[in-house]
């Protein structure tokens, strides 16, 4: 069988090579025919050959899969250039043999076991805290996600699907390796699976034998760097994300231990219905416009996502007696649109190519320190403006160039909080649109990023099937309780303190 090499970029080793992407769906049925889903996944992989690919070391010519070449990946030597990951994807061309394993599919029947965290029926005006279901319903132990999992004579496929039929629901989980896909790319996979499952046509993304991000850096933008003086976005990134080492990771482990053991940090989900989202967003945008007018400038744009992040942070600290002096937030900022608007059409990384780019294409943005005592004086809109300005500061060509080299230098940065400060990190999955998949039965809830352990301060945001938003994360019990009190005020018809 012949293969083509699909190169990855330095952004595919920014810690994403150590985690997976999990998407879990709770279906309102205990009778589920999994055969159509299994067949749809097989058709999907046969059409989109990237999903049939295997990971190989960069320095080896991609022709076949002998064990000696695959096992060389365990040492994973670094590439020479600043823009390439130490591995690439070997994609098969031509007809696949009948023995070729396109995907992993596992089904478990637990007819006497109810789901341990029943999902309530949530309406557009509801707001509620939800415990997350067990990961075992969506992804069985040992599902491959990191490079070493794929270093085998007979390597496993990228796409894994788990179906668990319970007494009162069915759980469907889709798992992909983050070293190959980011949330947008994983969303492309789920959307294509949805099309195959429901008999719709879809456009198969082209196999990219040259990397548009690498070309963008090497051919056009490598000379323009972001400013790195005091107070700049890059200075905040360099102070927050450091190279991983044993000595540096020990304080992180200690913080995780104290937060979970002594401060009751727990993983939960905050559901915000579309009507509540609208209320928060409209109020935040009006507040932001007032701040812009007061500063003498034109009205600045803030997104609904900015408004909800600001609401979440402000509500978390409403009732907390804390010695924490400040908080900081790290955010993943996508740059597909930035590059597609800046690249010449003659480059392989033009707009249409980048729109189909499924691999990791985001950089880190870090807010300035926000004093805790100032949160009460900040409106949700003014706090959302801080978040939006941080995104815009990071989403520039000079920042892209600097971060390309930074990720290569630190080999995947570990976020470290400053003394006396709380560090939050957020990952947005709204654009992935995984909540829109149609299994033929109602979806009660949609879950994402379901690793066994979420560190305190880490959370992701996704859309609920009914159009609301879901924050899934881990933080101290007192902060969840503060959010719960705001929810109860809203449910009682009282004005929320945070607004």
């Amino acid at each position: 069988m012949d293969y083509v090499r699909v190169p990855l970029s330095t952004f595919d080793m920014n810690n994403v090579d150590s985690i997976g992407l999990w998407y879990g769906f709770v279906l309102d049925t205990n009778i589920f025919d999994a055969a159509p889903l299994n067949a749809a996944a097989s058709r999907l992989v046969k059409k989109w050959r990237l999903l049939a690919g295997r990971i190989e070391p960069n320095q080896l010519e991609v022709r076949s899969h002998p064990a000696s070449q695959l096992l060389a990946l365990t040492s994973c030597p670094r590439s020479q250039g600043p823009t390439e990951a130490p591995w690439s994807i070997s994609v098969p061309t031509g007809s696949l043999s009948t023995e070729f394993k396109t995907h992993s599919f596992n089904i478990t029947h637990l007819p006497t076991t109810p789901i341990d965290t029943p999902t309530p029926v949530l309406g557009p005006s509801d707001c509620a805290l939800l415990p997350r279901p067990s990961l075992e319903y969506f992804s069985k132990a040992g599902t491959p996600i990191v490079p070493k999992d794929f270093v085998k004579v007979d390597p496993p496929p990228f796409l894994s699907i788990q179906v668990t039929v319970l007494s009162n629901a069915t759980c469907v989980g889709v798992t992909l390796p983050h070293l190959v896909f980011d949330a947008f790319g994983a969303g492309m996979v789920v959307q294509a699976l949805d099309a195959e499952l429901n008999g719709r046509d879809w456009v198969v993304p082209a196999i990219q034998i040259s990397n548009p991000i690498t070309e963008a850096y090497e051919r056009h933008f490598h000379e323009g760097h972001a400013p790195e003086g005091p107070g700049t976005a890059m200075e905040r990134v360099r102070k927050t994300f450091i190279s991983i080492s044993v000595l540096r990771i020990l304080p992180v482990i200690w913080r995780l231990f104290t937060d979970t053991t002594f401060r009751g940090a727990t993983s939960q989900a905050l559901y915000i219905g579309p009507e509540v989202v609208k209320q928060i967003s409209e109020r935040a945008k009006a507040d932001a416009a007032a701040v812009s007018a007061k500063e003498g400038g034109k009205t600045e744009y803030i997104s609904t996502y900015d408004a909800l992040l600001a609401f979440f942070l402000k509500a978390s600290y409403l009732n907390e007696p804390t010695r924490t002096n400040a908080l900081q937030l790290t955010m993943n900022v996508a740059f597909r649109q930035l590059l597609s608007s800046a690249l010449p059409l003659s480059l392989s990384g033009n707009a249409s190519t980048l729109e189909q780019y499924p691999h990791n294409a985001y950089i880190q943005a870090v807010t300035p320190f926000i004093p805790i005592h100032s949160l009460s004086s900040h409106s949700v809109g003014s706090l959302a403006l801080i978040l939006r300005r941080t995104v815009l500061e990071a989403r520039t060509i000079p920042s892209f160039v600097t971060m390309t080299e930074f990720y290569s230098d630190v080999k995947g940065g570990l976020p470290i909080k400053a003394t006396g400060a709380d560090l939050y990190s957020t990952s947005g999955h709204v654009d992935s649109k995984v909540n829109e998949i149609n299994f033929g039965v109602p979806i009660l809830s949609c879950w994402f990023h379901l690793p066994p352990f979420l560190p305190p301060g880490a959370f992701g945001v996704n859309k609920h099937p009914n159009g609301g938003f879901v924050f899934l994360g881990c933080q101290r019990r007192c902060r969840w309780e503060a959010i719960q009190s705001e929810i109860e005020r809203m449910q009682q018809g009282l004005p929320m303190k945070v607004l």
Side-chain angles (χ1 to χ4, degrees), residues 252-367:
V252 178
I253 295 174
W254 174 250
R255 176 173 65 89
L256 299 181
F257 174 76
T258 56
D259 272 356
T260 54
T261 305
F262 303 116
R263 293 167 178 161
T266 58
S267 295
Q268 293 198 78
L270 169 65
Y271 163 80
I272 306 177
E275 290 298 323
V276 184
V277 169
K278 181 180 178 182
Q279 176 186 349
I280 294 172
S281 178
E282 289 179 349
R283 177 63 181 271
K285 290 177 180 180
D287 290 343
V291 171
S292 298
K294 187 176 181 180
E295 294 176 350
K298 64 179 182 179
T299 299
E300 297 177 61
Y301 167 81
I302 64 168
S303 68
T304 298
Y305 184 54
D306 297 329
L308 293 177
L309 284 181
F311 169 85
F312 182 88
L313 292 173
K314 186 176 169 87
S316 295
Y317 286 88
L318 279 177
N319 304 324
E320 183 180 348
T322 179
R323 291 178 294 178
T324 301
N325 298 320
L327 67 86
Q328 245 183 336
L329 176 71
T330 72
M331 297 176 284
N332 295 334
V333 178
F335 57 76
R336 285 179 178 82
Q337 186 176 4
L338 169 71
L339 288 188
S340 66
S341 62
L343 288 172
L345 293 177
S346 60
L347 187 64
S348 66
N350 56 35
S352 61
T353 301
L354 282 162
E355 287 172 0
Q356 296 183 359
Y357 187 75
H359 311 302
N360 292 279
Y362 62 87
I363 59 179
Q364 303 290 344
V366 182
T367 66

Side-chain angles (χ1 to χ4, degrees), residues 1-13:
M1 187 182 295
D2 292 328
Y3 294 82
V4 296
R5 175 181 177 268
V6 175
L8 299 176
S9 77
T10 185
F11 294 94
D12 294 297
M13 59 185 183

Side-chain angles (χ1 to χ4, degrees), residues 52-74:
R54 302 295 186 255
I55 295 171
E56 293 214 4
N58 246 3
Q59 78 279 17
L60 298 176
E61 186 177 2
V62 177
R63 293 295 179 191
S64 59
H65 295 293
S68 59
Q69 291 188 5
L70 283 172
L71 293 175
L73 188 55
T74 55

Side-chain angles (χ1 to χ4, degrees), residues 318-319 480-490 497:
L318 279 177
N319 304 324
W480 284 123
E481 290 172 350
I483 294 174
Q484 182 68 49
S485 68
E486 280 294 272
I487 293 172
E488 291 172 354
R489 288 181 64 85
M490 184 207 69
K497 294 178 183 179

